[in-house]
Each structure stands twice: as structure tokens, then as C-alpha cells.
Amino acid sequence: MSQASAQPARRAAAREAGRPPRLAVEGIVKKFSGTRVLDDVSFEILPGEVHALLGHNGSGKSTLIKCLANYYIPDGGRITVDGEGLSFAGPGDSARLGLRFVHQDLGLVDSCSVLDSMFLGRSFPTRFGVISWSTARESARLSLSRVGLQHLDLDSPIEELTPSQKTGVAIARALNTDASTEDAAAVLVLDEPTATLPAAEVENLLLIVDQVAAAGTAVLYVTHRLDEVFQVADRLTVLRDGVNVATRRVDEMTKDELIVTMVGYSIEKAERTDAVRERLPELLRVEGVRAGAVRDATFTVHEGEILGLAGLTGSGREEALGLIFGAHRRERGKVLLRGVELPAGDPASSIGHGVAYLPAERKTHGSILTLTAADNCSVTDVRRFFKRGFLRRSLEEEEVAAWFQRLQVKPLGAQGLAFGALSGGNQQKVLFAKWLRCKPSVLLFDEPTQGVDVGAQRELHELMREVAADGTGAVVSSSDLAELEAICDRVLVFRNGEVVAELTGDQIQEHEIAQWCLGRDVRAPEHVSHISDELTKDAS
């Protein structure tokens, strides 16, 4: 069943006369140090309804989810599931009432099989004191069928699944935590389920969500991707500064209205610059770089330019920036910064020459979660804080505080918090500050606003434009085509490991980029061939 045909039927079922809500949040208040982070929040989710929970970083979404999970005890209000109140006696109370959670970190182990993964966190079924594998396989197959994945090989390791299949396995596990029952969960809470999924996988995941709701489960869907809200959600609730500022039907709002509701102001699209046409000096030259999925990356970046890289998963787009920076070794090709060749596979040399790199996986490759936010900001260069052989913490604290204030890193006093305790948007601001304080010539951004709300996206985009206006060159690799349309002066499209299109001016539109990514059957524009020929001639 397609989403288009399933949603009207689900809406009708959800609003059937006399059906009580599956989840009711009534006047929830939560305070920290006297500050209300949730202020009289109320909404309800009906059976078979997908209800989107939206809001910028710090709006209270995470705190509310932790209240639902019994991690936090509210200071006021009540939560009921199918009419029964949550007692806040412990996490088991949420599970007993039928609340299930799938977080952005799926909690799966790549080396485990699908079958083993379905029983992580609970016991295998037993018979006469030993595991009943036939019962386990039957239970796993039943749970997977609820999300349309009944044909998965139960013996396949998780690492062999696609991203959307991995998320589907986590959802299936959440829907049935008791092998002895076939009852579906009452409420499924999905926290940023598509944040790390490539665009081609998102549609598969949304179909899984739709199938879960069609079976009568209420779904609370937390996301920063607003297009998904209009695809899969029936209603939405927007939190701003801990207050419920809107609970509306999705078909009653436009995307622009939703953005204004979330952040409190409209977002204007910035004017583009054409660094090539204006003959601004060349900063970075990539000549015939090859490794992994990248067969031939050839392009230039100019001062003050924001260059976008687009392409489907496996196109080479995801690996390009790591190869340029030296995080991965190149098989062949050159990278030159202002005519000086950067050694292959040597990130330290790249940094020394003024190249900065923000990888897509900020938690695993871009930061140290156990260190403080301040330490993550200053780690790129601590030499300036040493005086007569001693580290002067006061100098470090002063500089970090200035950067946190400039980038509006929240909450106040974030310098002393563990990096992992910050919201996604504030984590990314810290990583921006980490590199900007080094005054790089070229910034390489890989998925710069992945998992970041629309308000923080706006702030980060404005910061990127501000940096470019000072002459820094930026390369943005992103699966978010709307992001590329919003901020880039040029966009290069990768396919089969090569640049197949260069888009400028009015060509930089989501649908145009998507057509090239999917394999538009036309020749690359002459200027792409011209650039490639010119670089080949110069290199010979």
C-alpha cells in the first residue's frame, strides 16, 4: 500500500467517533534549577495516527521524550496510555503500558545476526530450560512482518543490511518486547529515525512507519526534516522554549508557515555569488583524485565560494572530502592549495596548510564525547595557551567563551558540559568553532546540518556565508538537496565516481539536482568538460 493511499484510511480510522486517544500528555511541567523547560505541554495521539513532534534545539522535545520514558519525573501534569496513568515508578512502567522507543542510535551490534538483534535486551524463549530456536525465529519473523521486513534473512549480520533495514529491525524489536504475546505496542516513539539515512533510503523507512500506524499503533515522530512531516504525519505539535505553540493537522499548514511557527521568524534565501564568473582567485584544485568509489574527482574552489557536492549513496560524493583532506589515502591524483600540493593521507599537513574538515559522523569521527565542549573546541590548537611551558587555562577559557558567545552555543555554561550532553545543533556549532578559530583557507563540510533543527540550520548557514564573505572557500557535501539549493554558489553532481554536471545560478534547484543524481540522460555541460580538459592540460 502506498503512503498516498494509506494515509486517508488511517486518518479516518484515527478519528472514528468515540475512539479515545492512545497517548494523552496533559499539562506536563518540568523544571531544572527553577527554569521551566516544559511549561504546561498538552497534546494527544489517536490510534493509528502519526503525530510529528517538532521544535528547534532546546525547545523541550528531548526532555518530553525522557518524561515519556520515565527517565525524568515531571514536576506537574500527567501522561496516560489508553486511559491508564504513567506512575513514574521506573522505566518498566512505560514498557508495561505499551510505550516503545527507537532512538537515533539504534542500539544494534553490526556483528550480530538479525535474529540475535531482535532479542537484545530481553530473553530468548525457552523450552525445558533451553532456548527454543524455532519459537525465537517465529517470534522474530512475526515482529519483522509488522514493518514489512518478513523476508529478511534472520541469519544475516546487521552490518549487511541497508540503513533503512537496520532502522526497521530496531522498530520491529521495539514493537514486540515479549515473545509470548502478539500484541502490538500502543505507542511507538521514533526519535530522528531518518537523521543518518541517505535520501534513497528515507522513503523505505517512511513506508515502514506508515505500516506500523495502519495496524493501530500511535506513532510519535520526532524529526528535523520537514518534508517528511508532510509525507507521513497526520498532525503535528510544535514546541518552542518549552511551550506548545501549535497542535495542528498537517494539511492545514504550509512548509513556510511551519518554519515560522517553529523558529518565530521567516527565513530568507541568500543571494548567490559566482566566484568563477567574477574571477576570484583559485584556492583549491583537485586533479584526477581516485580511491574507493571515487574514480575521477576533478574540480576547483575559489575564494569566497560555497561549492556543493551532490550524489546518491555510492556515487563517490560521500568519500570525496575525506580524500581531499587526507583522512583516506588516494590511489592517484593531486590536491593543491594555492598551487602547493598537499600530501596524500596526511591530515596534519592539510591542517597545517589551512584545510579544515568536518566529517558527517560528528560523534565518532569529529569529536571526543567524553571531553568537555570547551576541550573539543580548543583541541585543534592548544599551543597558543602555553606560556613558559605551562598550560594557561584562563587563556583557553577566555577564547572558548568568546567563540561560544559568537555562535550562541547553548545552554549557558556549556563550556564545562560533556560534549555528548549537548544537543545536535549545539554540538555542530562547537565543531564549527573548533575549526574557525584556526582561520582556515578552505572548509570541507560533510553533511553539516545532519540531525540539526531548522533554527540551528539557519544559524549555521548564515555562519558559512559569513565565513565565505571573508574569502574562505567552502565545499559542502550533502544528501539534503534543499540545503545545497539554499547555500551553494555552484553544485557539482557525482555519479559513478565522477563529476557529471556543474550547476550554477537558476540551475541550482532541488528537482534539477535530483534529476542529475538519478541519471539524467544528457551530456555534461561544456564548462564541465572545459574545466576537466584545462586541469588535465595543466597537469601534463
Side-chain angles (χ1 to χ4, degrees), residues 255-437:
K255 186 175 181 180
D256 288 344
E257 290 171 340
L258 179 54
I259 291 173
V260 171
T261 304
M262 290 176 63
V263 301
Y265 46 75
S266 60
I267 297 177
E268 302 292 335
K269 185 179 290 188
E271 294 184 6
R272 306 185 194 282
T273 61
D274 192 335
V276 177
R277 187 190 67 224
E278 296 175 11
R279 299 299 181 195
L280 296 178
E282 178 184 297
L283 272 177
L284 190 72
R285 176 173 286 223
V286 180
E287 297 182 357
V289 166
R290 175 176 186 150
V294 178
R295 295 168 51 191
D296 180 9
T298 299
F299 56 87
T300 59
V301 184
H302 296 254
E303 288 185 4
E305 178 181 32
I306 300 179
L307 176 70
L309 305 183
L312 302 178
T313 301
S315 65
R317 185 266 307 167
E318 318 97 303
E319 301 177 38
L321 297 189
L323 291 172
I324 294 170
F325 181 68
H328 311 297
R329 286 204 166 270
R330 304 189 291 268
E331 294 176 9
R332 65 171 175 83
K334 296 180 181 180
V335 176
L336 301 98
L337 181 67
R338 291 195 174 97
V340 177
E341 185 174 349
L342 303 181
D346 188 353
S349 178
S350 296
I351 294 172
H353 283 86
V355 180
Y357 174 45
L358 279 77
E361 305 85 357
R362 62 173 173 262
K363 292 185 178 180
T364 54
H365 296 146
S367 63
I368 304 173
L369 293 177
T370 54
L371 291 184
T372 65
D375 288 338
N376 273 276
C377 180
S378 62
V379 69
T380 44
D381 182 10
V382 296
R383 291 171 298 179
R384 69 181 73 180
F385 306 129
F386 277 87
K387 301 292 183 182
R388 297 192 180 98
F390 292 94
L391 177 63
R392 306 297 184 183
R393 280 289 186 179
S394 59
L395 296 177
E396 179 186 17
E397 291 169 1
E398 183 179 345
E399 181 173 327
V400 169
W403 276 105
F404 278 33
Q405 182 177 4
R406 178 184 171 186
L407 272 62
Q408 298 182 344
V409 178
K410 298 178 181 179
L412 291 176
Q415 296 96 313
L417 297 178
F419 181 83
L422 302 183
S423 66
N426 286 299
Q427 287 180 357
Q428 199 71 331
K429 289 179 183 179
V430 172
L431 299 185
F432 270 55
K434 175 179 78 171
W435 289 115
L436 291 179
R437 60 183 289 271

Side-chain angles (χ1 to χ4, degrees), residues 16 33 88 123 125 164 232 236 321 366 395 399 439 494 510:
E16 184 177 318
S33 302
F88 301 102
S123 302
S164 63
V232 76
L236 58 85
L321 297 189
L395 296 177
E399 181 173 327
K439 299 180 179 179
F494 275 77
E510 281 189 71

